[in-house]
Amino acid sequence: MSDLPDDFTCTITNWEYIYGLCRDVADEVRSAEFDPDVIVALARGGWFAGRCCCDFLGLDDLTSLKMEHYVGTAAKASDPEVRYPMPEGSVEGKDVLIVDDIADTGESLHHAHEYVVERDPSAVRTATLQLLDTSEFDPDFVGERLEEWAWIVYPWNFIEDMIDLIQGVMERADDKRFERADIRRYLATYHDIQRIEMEIAQPDRLDEVLAEMERRGVVESADGAWQLA
Protein backbone atom coordinates (compact mmCIF):
# COMPACT_ATOMS: atom_id res chain seq x y z
CA MET A 1 0.00 0.00 0.00
CA SER A 2 3.06 2.27 0.04
CA ASP A 3 2.19 3.89 -3.29
CA LEU A 4 -1.32 4.88 -2.15
CA PRO A 5 -2.27 8.31 -0.77
CA ASP A 6 -2.73 8.70 2.98
CA ASP A 7 -6.52 8.94 2.71
CA PHE A 8 -8.34 6.41 0.57
CA THR A 9 -11.61 4.52 0.77
CA CYS A 10 -11.58 0.83 1.66
CA THR A 11 -14.32 -1.73 1.13
CA ILE A 12 -14.32 -4.89 3.23
CA THR A 13 -15.79 -8.01 1.61
CA ASN A 14 -16.76 -11.46 2.87
CA TRP A 15 -16.58 -14.98 1.49
CA GLU A 16 -20.23 -15.21 0.49
CA TYR A 17 -20.10 -12.03 -1.59
CA ILE A 18 -16.88 -13.03 -3.35
CA TYR A 19 -18.20 -16.55 -3.98
CA GLY A 20 -21.18 -14.96 -5.72
CA LEU A 21 -18.83 -12.99 -7.98
CA CYS A 22 -17.04 -16.24 -8.88
CA ARG A 23 -20.40 -17.68 -9.91
CA ASP A 24 -21.15 -14.57 -11.99
CA VAL A 25 -17.82 -14.91 -13.84
CA ALA A 26 -18.49 -18.59 -14.52
CA ASP A 27 -21.98 -17.71 -15.82
CA GLU A 28 -20.43 -15.21 -18.27
CA VAL A 29 -17.95 -17.83 -19.47
CA ARG A 30 -20.74 -20.31 -20.14
CA SER A 31 -22.91 -17.67 -21.82
CA ALA A 32 -20.02 -16.87 -24.18
CA GLU A 33 -19.79 -20.61 -24.99
CA PHE A 34 -16.12 -20.56 -24.09
CA ASP A 35 -15.08 -23.97 -22.78
CA PRO A 36 -11.61 -23.66 -21.24
CA ASP A 37 -9.36 -26.65 -20.78
CA VAL A 38 -7.29 -25.03 -18.04
CA ILE A 39 -7.55 -22.08 -15.68
CA VAL A 40 -4.48 -20.00 -14.91
CA ALA A 41 -4.99 -18.32 -11.53
CA LEU A 42 -2.82 -15.28 -10.88
CA ALA A 43 -1.10 -15.55 -7.52
CA ARG A 44 -2.02 -14.67 -4.95
CA GLY A 45 -5.36 -12.93 -5.37
CA GLY A 46 -6.67 -15.15 -8.15
CA TRP A 47 -6.28 -18.47 -6.36
CA PHE A 48 -9.70 -18.57 -4.66
CA ALA A 49 -11.47 -17.31 -7.78
CA GLY A 50 -9.61 -19.76 -10.00
CA ARG A 51 -10.48 -22.74 -7.84
CA CYS A 52 -14.14 -21.74 -7.57
CA CYS A 53 -14.38 -21.24 -11.34
CA CYS A 54 -12.93 -24.73 -11.80
CA ASP A 55 -15.77 -26.07 -9.69
CA PHE A 56 -18.47 -24.09 -11.50
CA LEU A 57 -17.10 -24.95 -14.96
CA GLY A 58 -16.29 -28.59 -14.25
CA LEU A 59 -12.52 -28.30 -14.68
CA ASP A 60 -9.77 -30.22 -12.91
CA ASP A 61 -6.84 -28.50 -14.64
CA LEU A 62 -5.68 -25.49 -12.64
CA THR A 63 -2.27 -23.86 -12.71
CA SER A 64 -0.80 -20.73 -11.17
CA LEU A 65 1.17 -17.76 -12.44
CA LYS A 66 2.87 -15.31 -10.07
CA MET A 67 3.17 -11.73 -11.32
CA GLU A 68 5.22 -9.30 -9.25
CA HIS A 69 6.01 -5.60 -9.45
CA TYR A 70 9.74 -4.92 -9.18
CA VAL A 71 11.43 -1.63 -8.39
CA GLY A 72 14.94 -0.82 -9.63
CA THR A 73 17.02 0.09 -12.63
CA ALA A 74 16.05 -3.02 -14.56
CA ALA A 75 12.31 -2.45 -14.38
CA LYS A 76 9.85 0.27 -13.57
CA ALA A 77 7.68 -0.20 -10.52
CA SER A 78 4.62 -0.39 -12.75
CA ASP A 79 5.95 -3.23 -14.91
CA PRO A 80 4.85 -6.61 -13.53
CA GLU A 81 7.23 -9.49 -14.19
CA VAL A 82 6.81 -13.25 -13.90
CA ARG A 83 8.27 -14.50 -10.63
CA TYR A 84 7.27 -18.17 -10.81
CA PRO A 85 6.90 -19.43 -14.41
CA MET A 86 4.26 -22.00 -15.26
CA PRO A 87 5.37 -25.59 -15.91
CA GLU A 88 6.51 -26.27 -19.46
CA GLY A 89 3.65 -27.33 -21.74
CA SER A 90 0.94 -26.54 -19.17
CA VAL A 91 -1.11 -24.45 -21.65
CA GLU A 92 0.20 -25.56 -25.04
CA GLY A 93 -2.67 -26.35 -27.43
CA LYS A 94 -5.29 -25.63 -24.76
CA ASP A 95 -8.10 -23.13 -24.36
CA VAL A 96 -7.02 -21.02 -21.38
CA LEU A 97 -8.92 -18.85 -18.93
CA ILE A 98 -6.74 -16.46 -16.90
CA VAL A 99 -8.39 -15.45 -13.61
CA ASP A 100 -7.54 -12.69 -11.12
CA ASP A 101 -9.38 -11.07 -8.22
CA ILE A 102 -9.33 -7.45 -9.40
CA ALA A 103 -8.07 -5.30 -12.28
CA ASP A 104 -6.93 -1.92 -10.98
CA THR A 105 -4.50 -0.70 -13.64
CA GLY A 106 -4.97 -3.97 -15.52
CA GLU A 107 -1.22 -4.41 -15.97
CA SER A 108 -0.99 -7.79 -14.26
CA LEU A 109 -3.73 -9.28 -16.43
CA HIS A 110 -2.28 -7.67 -19.55
CA HIS A 111 1.21 -9.06 -18.94
CA ALA A 112 -0.17 -12.45 -17.91
CA HIS A 113 -2.15 -12.56 -21.16
CA GLU A 114 1.01 -11.80 -23.16
CA TYR A 115 2.97 -14.44 -21.24
CA VAL A 116 0.35 -17.16 -21.81
CA VAL A 117 -0.10 -16.30 -25.51
CA GLU A 118 3.65 -16.83 -26.02
CA ARG A 119 3.26 -20.43 -24.84
CA ASP A 120 1.19 -21.61 -27.82
CA PRO A 121 -2.30 -22.06 -26.36
CA SER A 122 -5.26 -22.66 -28.64
CA ALA A 123 -7.17 -19.67 -27.23
CA VAL A 124 -6.84 -17.29 -24.27
CA ARG A 125 -9.54 -15.38 -22.39
CA THR A 126 -9.24 -13.29 -19.23
CA ALA A 127 -11.54 -12.85 -16.24
CA THR A 128 -11.59 -10.81 -13.04
CA LEU A 129 -14.00 -10.77 -10.14
CA GLN A 130 -13.95 -6.97 -9.98
CA LEU A 131 -12.95 -4.32 -12.51
CA LEU A 132 -12.09 -0.76 -11.53
CA ASP A 133 -12.63 2.03 -14.03
CA THR A 134 -8.91 2.86 -13.71
CA SER A 135 -7.99 -0.33 -15.58
CA GLU A 136 -6.53 0.13 -19.05
CA PHE A 137 -7.07 -3.57 -19.78
CA ASP A 138 -10.59 -4.84 -20.45
CA PRO A 139 -11.00 -8.49 -19.40
CA ASP A 140 -13.32 -10.74 -21.36
CA PHE A 141 -15.36 -11.72 -18.30
CA VAL A 142 -16.11 -9.52 -15.28
CA GLY A 143 -18.03 -10.31 -12.12
CA GLU A 144 -18.57 -6.70 -11.07
CA ARG A 145 -17.64 -3.31 -12.54
CA LEU A 146 -16.80 -0.64 -9.94
CA GLU A 147 -17.26 2.98 -10.98
CA GLU A 148 -15.61 4.48 -7.89
CA TRP A 149 -12.06 3.56 -6.90
CA ALA A 150 -11.61 1.83 -3.57
CA TRP A 151 -9.09 -0.47 -1.95
CA ILE A 152 -10.84 -3.84 -1.73
CA VAL A 153 -10.08 -5.89 1.37
CA TYR A 154 -10.67 -9.53 0.44
CA PRO A 155 -11.32 -12.32 2.97
CA TRP A 156 -8.07 -14.09 2.07
CA ASN A 157 -5.93 -11.05 2.92
CA PHE A 158 -8.09 -9.46 5.61
CA ILE A 159 -5.48 -9.70 8.38
CA GLU A 160 -2.65 -8.65 6.07
CA ASP A 161 -4.48 -5.55 4.87
CA MET A 162 -5.91 -4.59 8.24
CA ILE A 163 -2.47 -4.72 9.84
CA ASP A 164 -1.17 -2.33 7.18
CA LEU A 165 -4.19 -0.04 7.58
CA ILE A 166 -4.11 0.06 11.37
CA GLN A 167 -0.36 0.58 11.48
CA GLY A 168 -0.77 3.40 8.96
CA VAL A 169 -3.43 5.27 10.95
CA MET A 170 -1.43 4.84 14.16
CA GLU A 171 1.61 6.38 12.50
CA ARG A 172 -0.44 9.36 11.29
CA ALA A 173 -2.33 10.06 14.49
CA ASP A 174 -1.03 12.33 17.25
CA ASP A 175 -1.99 9.75 19.89
CA LYS A 176 0.62 7.42 21.35
CA ARG A 177 -1.80 4.89 22.83
CA PHE A 178 -4.94 3.61 21.15
CA GLU A 179 -7.99 1.92 22.54
CA ARG A 180 -10.30 -0.07 20.27
CA ALA A 181 -12.62 2.93 19.84
CA ASP A 182 -9.67 5.10 18.76
CA ILE A 183 -8.59 2.60 16.14
CA ARG A 184 -12.11 2.31 14.77
CA ARG A 185 -12.45 6.10 14.67
CA TYR A 186 -9.23 6.55 12.69
CA LEU A 187 -10.13 3.76 10.28
CA ALA A 188 -13.41 5.57 9.60
CA THR A 189 -11.70 8.97 9.29
CA TYR A 190 -8.89 7.98 6.95
CA HIS A 191 -10.37 5.03 5.06
CA ASP A 192 -14.15 5.27 5.49
CA ILE A 193 -14.24 1.88 7.22
CA GLN A 194 -17.37 2.10 9.34
CA ARG A 195 -17.78 -0.24 12.31
CA ILE A 196 -21.09 -1.65 11.09
CA GLU A 197 -19.59 -2.44 7.67
CA MET A 198 -16.62 -4.23 9.18
CA GLU A 199 -18.75 -6.17 11.66
CA ILE A 200 -21.13 -7.33 8.93
CA ALA A 201 -18.36 -8.41 6.56
CA GLN A 202 -15.83 -9.72 9.11
CA PRO A 203 -17.51 -9.84 12.54
CA ASP A 204 -15.53 -9.72 15.80
CA ARG A 205 -12.10 -9.73 14.15
CA LEU A 206 -10.49 -6.51 15.37
CA ASP A 207 -9.02 -8.20 18.45
CA GLU A 208 -7.72 -11.01 16.25
CA VAL A 209 -5.91 -8.48 14.05
CA LEU A 210 -4.48 -6.63 17.06
CA ALA A 211 -3.27 -9.90 18.59
CA GLU A 212 -1.52 -10.79 15.36
CA MET A 213 0.03 -7.30 15.18
CA GLU A 214 1.41 -7.86 18.68
CA ARG A 215 2.71 -11.33 17.78
CA ARG A 216 4.54 -9.83 14.78
CA GLY A 217 6.04 -7.09 16.91
CA VAL A 218 4.13 -4.25 15.24
CA VAL A 219 2.34 -3.09 18.42
CA GLU A 220 2.55 -3.55 22.16
CA SER A 221 -0.47 -3.78 24.46
CA ALA A 222 -1.09 -2.79 28.05
CA ASP A 223 -4.27 -2.15 30.04
CA GLY A 224 -6.61 -2.53 27.07
CA ALA A 225 -4.71 -0.15 24.78
CA TRP A 226 -2.09 -0.53 22.06
CA GLN A 227 0.91 1.46 20.89
CA LEU A 228 3.38 1.04 18.07
CA ALA A 229 6.33 -1.13 19.07
Side-chain angles (χ1 to χ4, degrees):
M1 295 185 184
S2 59
D3 295 332
L4 295 175
D6 289 333
D7 297 345
F8 56 91
T9 299
C10 293
T11 299
I12 298 177
T13 60
N14 60 22
W15 290 108
E16 183 178 2
Y17 186 78
I18 297 302
Y19 188 71
L21 293 181
C22 293
R23 179 183 286 109
D24 292 341
V25 167
D27 288 344
E28 283 201 4
V29 173
R30 282 192 292 263
S31 295
E33 298 184 353
F34 181 62
D35 190 16
D37 302 301
V38 58
I39 286 179
V40 175
L42 298 194
R44 294 176 296 166
W47 283 343
F48 177 80
R51 181 61 185 90
C52 288
C53 286
C54 279
D55 188 37
F56 286 127
L57 297 173
L59 298 177
D60 59 8
D61 197 350
L62 173 66
T63 189
S64 177
L65 178 61
K66 171 68 171 173
M67 307 294 296
E68 191 165 89
H69 294 257
Y70 292 92
V71 179
T73 56
K76 298 178 181 179
S78 60
D79 292 339
E81 301 288 341
V82 175
R83 181 175 180 183
Y84 301 126
M86 293 187 304
E88 189 70 26
S90 56
V91 298
E92 185 175 352
K94 298 179 180 180
D95 290 344
V96 181
L97 179 64
I98 303 172
V99 176
D100 203 1
D101 54 355
I102 191 168
D104 184 344
T105 64
E107 290 177 352
S108 292
L109 269 177
H110 174 67
H111 284 268
H113 182 269
E114 289 182 337
Y115 177 86
V116 171
V117 166
E118 291 173 355
R119 275 141 189 83
D120 299 320
S122 176
V124 183
R125 300 290 186 272
T126 55
T128 185
L129 298 184
Q130 294 177 305
L131 176 67
L132 291 166
D133 63 1
T134 51
S135 177
E136 296 182 3
F137 182 82
D138 192 17
D140 298 288
F141 310 111
V142 176
E144 179 181 35
R145 297 179 182 270
L146 304 175
E147 296 181 358
E148 296 185 7
W149 192 94
W151 182 271
I152 309 298
V153 179
Y154 292 107
W156 51 81
N157 59 281
F158 175 80
I159 292 178
E160 177 182 310
D161 277 2
M162 291 308 299
I163 287 176
D164 286 344
L165 292 167
I166 293 172
Q167 181 179 0
V169 300
M170 283 183 167
E171 290 172 347
R172 293 187 61 192
D174 294 330
D175 310 44
K176 297 301 181 183
R177 290 172 56 79
F178 302 82
E179 296 183 355
R180 292 176 184 83
D182 301 320
I183 294 170
R184 291 188 184 279
R185 184 176 74 254
Y186 284 121
L187 288 174
T189 299
Y190 294 134
H191 304 304
D192 197 25
I193 298 176
Q194 305 300 324
R195 176 169 185 166
I196 188 169
E197 173 196 357
M198 183 169 167
E199 290 304 315
I200 290 174
Q202 298 290 337
D204 301 320
R205 298 198 66 187
L206 180 59
D207 283 350
E208 177 188 1
V209 174
L210 290 168
E212 182 60 18
M213 291 179 73
E214 188 168 11
R215 188 188 73 83
R216 298 184 190 186
V218 179
V219 298
E220 298 171 346
S221 66
D223 301 324
W226 290 262
Q227 63 184 31
L228 290 171

